[in-house]
Amino acid sequence: MRYLLRRVGFFLLTLWAALTLNFFLPHFMPGSPINTLRAQTKGRVSDAQLEQILTSFGYKPHENIFEQYIHYFGNMLTGNWGVSLGSSLGTPVSKLIGQALPWTLGLVGFTTVLAFLLGSLIGTIAAWRRGGIVDSVLPSVFVITSALPYFVVGLFLILFMTIDNTWLPSSGNYDTSIVPGFSPGFVGSIVKYAALPALTLLITSIGGWVLTMRNNMITTLAEDYIRMGRAKGLSDRKVMLNYAARNAFLPNLSGFAMSIGFVLTGAILVEKIFNYPGLGYQLYNAVNSIDYPMMQTLFMLFTVAVLGALLICDLVTVWLDPRTRAKG
């Protein structure tokens, strides 16, 4: 219980610090919502009318920074995230996020879990059969792929899969000629349009899991209990999975939680390249249009996602590893 309370306290403190930075960072950016809205209206609306429009949307430029911070903090905690001040002027931020969230969860969530599981499996096999074909070829390949930028892989896939061969679409999230619904045609269209962005994220993220799991397995295989398992005459499969892989897998859990932040960062570029209407695409547009409410809400959601994943992984590690409970 002490360990649990300590981790929850750390979670709340970090969340407060992140939300505070989340408030101040957009205000340090050049430009302002008024200038952006003035450019959109091309000078047809006076500055006084622009300020009145923004005030009606919840943005109050005449409040001092402390008053804005208090209102911002209360709104973040209560879910009153205001309305967009960017290209979707006047639309509630919660509505825009609700429209984009399922696409990012499906794309980033599925790809991250798949890369984690495949990478851990390949790393386990490579370490168990050290010096074999899998260990000699795949880790070297994945070192290269993990160093490639997201946009380079994405553009290469567009060139090869769409422009040269027209195998897969490179823009959008589904075929607009199909009526949305739980039909095989619509689901197949979603999978088809998500293939290239998902493959981009998978190629650039799986290498880290392969190398990390391989190194963890090599260290674990040198432990005495592995020798004891082999001396008992246990099968290689049981020693590899139940003894070695299970213990080598634990450090990867914390890395998995931390990787969510990096994957979300990469998703911004990937969704922009493929015009995929997820949260990363929304954040890109919000930064370009100085949309404070949208930026702050998305940063807050990304922070909560990473911190929540770290907290869950800490608790799962305590549950799986009794040594952690003893240290706690």
Side-chain angles (χ1 to χ4, degrees):
M1 182 58 68
R2 285 198 305 270
Y3 179 85
L4 175 62
L5 293 176
R6 189 161 61 245
R7 300 307 298 173
V8 172
F10 173 78
F11 172 85
L12 294 176
L13 179 63
T14 308
L15 179 61
W16 169 79
L19 287 177
T20 300
L21 287 174
N22 183 28
F23 170 77
F24 286 104
L25 286 178
H27 287 75
F28 293 151
M29 294 175 59
S32 68
I34 293 180
N35 293 335
T36 303
L37 195 58
R38 184 185 297 117
Q40 291 179 359
T41 58
K42 299 180 180 180
R44 293 191 297 268
V45 181
S46 66
D47 288 349
Q49 291 173 321
L50 291 177
E51 290 186 8
Q52 185 177 2
I53 293 173
L54 293 175
T55 301
S56 66
F57 290 155
Y59 177 74
K60 302 176 181 178
H62 295 298
E63 286 186 347
N64 62 53
I65 196 72
F66 180 73
E67 291 176 334
Q68 291 183 32
Y69 174 75
I70 296 298
H71 290 156
Y72 151 81
F73 208 87
N75 291 335
M76 287 293 104
L77 295 179
T78 58
N80 183 21
W81 298 333
V83 297
S84 173
L85 303 179
S87 56
S88 302
L89 184 64
T91 305
V93 170
S94 57
K95 180 180 179 180
L96 295 174
I97 291 178
Q99 294 172 350
L101 182 60
W103 301 108
T104 295
L105 283 179
L107 175 65
V108 176
F110 174 78
T111 307
T112 303
V113 173
L114 182 62
F116 176 68
L117 295 178
L118 284 179
S120 298
L121 178 62
I122 295 173
T124 299
I125 297 173
W128 183 258
R129 299 178 179 176
R130 194 174 180 185
I133 297 178
V134 175
D135 186 44
S136 301
V137 177
L138 292 184
S140 301
V141 172
F142 287 128
V143 165
I144 298 174
T145 59
S146 62
L148 294 174
Y150 291 97
F151 63 89
V152 171
V153 177
L155 293 175
F156 175 79
L157 289 177
I158 291 175
L159 176 64
F160 180 70
M161 294 285 192
T162 303
I163 297 177
D164 290 344
N165 297 286
T166 64
W167 290 338
L168 293 170
S170 63
S171 179
N173 53 343
Y174 64 89
D175 188 350
T176 55
S177 64
I178 300 177
V179 178
F182 290 101
S183 62
F186 182 69
V187 174
S189 175
I190 291 177
V191 173
K192 185 177 181 180
Y193 275 76
L196 287 185
L199 188 58
T200 301
L201 292 173
L202 184 64
I203 290 174
T204 52
S205 60
I206 192 174
W209 299 122
V210 173
L211 299 177
T212 302
M213 190 63 183
R214 177 185 178 274
N215 294 336
N216 292 342
M217 276 288 292
I218 291 175
T219 302
T220 305
L221 289 173
E223 297 290 341
D224 292 336
Y225 59 84
I226 300 296
R227 298 190 185 95
M228 178 62 69
R230 285 171 169 166
K232 287 181 177 180
L234 298 177
S235 64
D236 287 347
R237 179 185 177 88
K238 188 169 185 179
V239 173
M240 181 180 71
L241 297 179
N242 293 359
Y243 282 71
R246 180 177 179 180
N247 290 281
F249 185 76
L250 293 175
N252 268 16
L253 284 176
S254 296
F256 174 74
M258 296 178 65
S259 73
I260 293 177
F262 295 103
V263 175
L264 286 173
T265 303
I268 297 174
L269 294 175
V270 171
E271 291 181 358
K272 176 58 182 175
I273 291 172
F274 294 99
N275 287 323
Y276 200 79
L279 295 180
Y281 189 78
Q282 291 284 1
L283 180 59
Y284 178 88
N285 292 334
V287 171
N288 283 337
S289 57
I290 319 294
D291 190 350
Y292 286 165
M294 179 62 76
M295 280 191 290
Q296 291 174 335
T297 303
L298 289 176
F299 287 148
M300 183 267 294
L301 292 178
F302 291 167
T303 301
V304 171
V306 174
L307 291 177
L310 281 172
L311 180 62
I312 292 173
C313 287
D314 283 343
L315 299 180
V316 172
T317 302
V318 171
W319 175 56
L320 293 176
D321 190 354
R323 295 172 297 181
T324 309
R325 293 197 294 270
K327 292 178 182 179

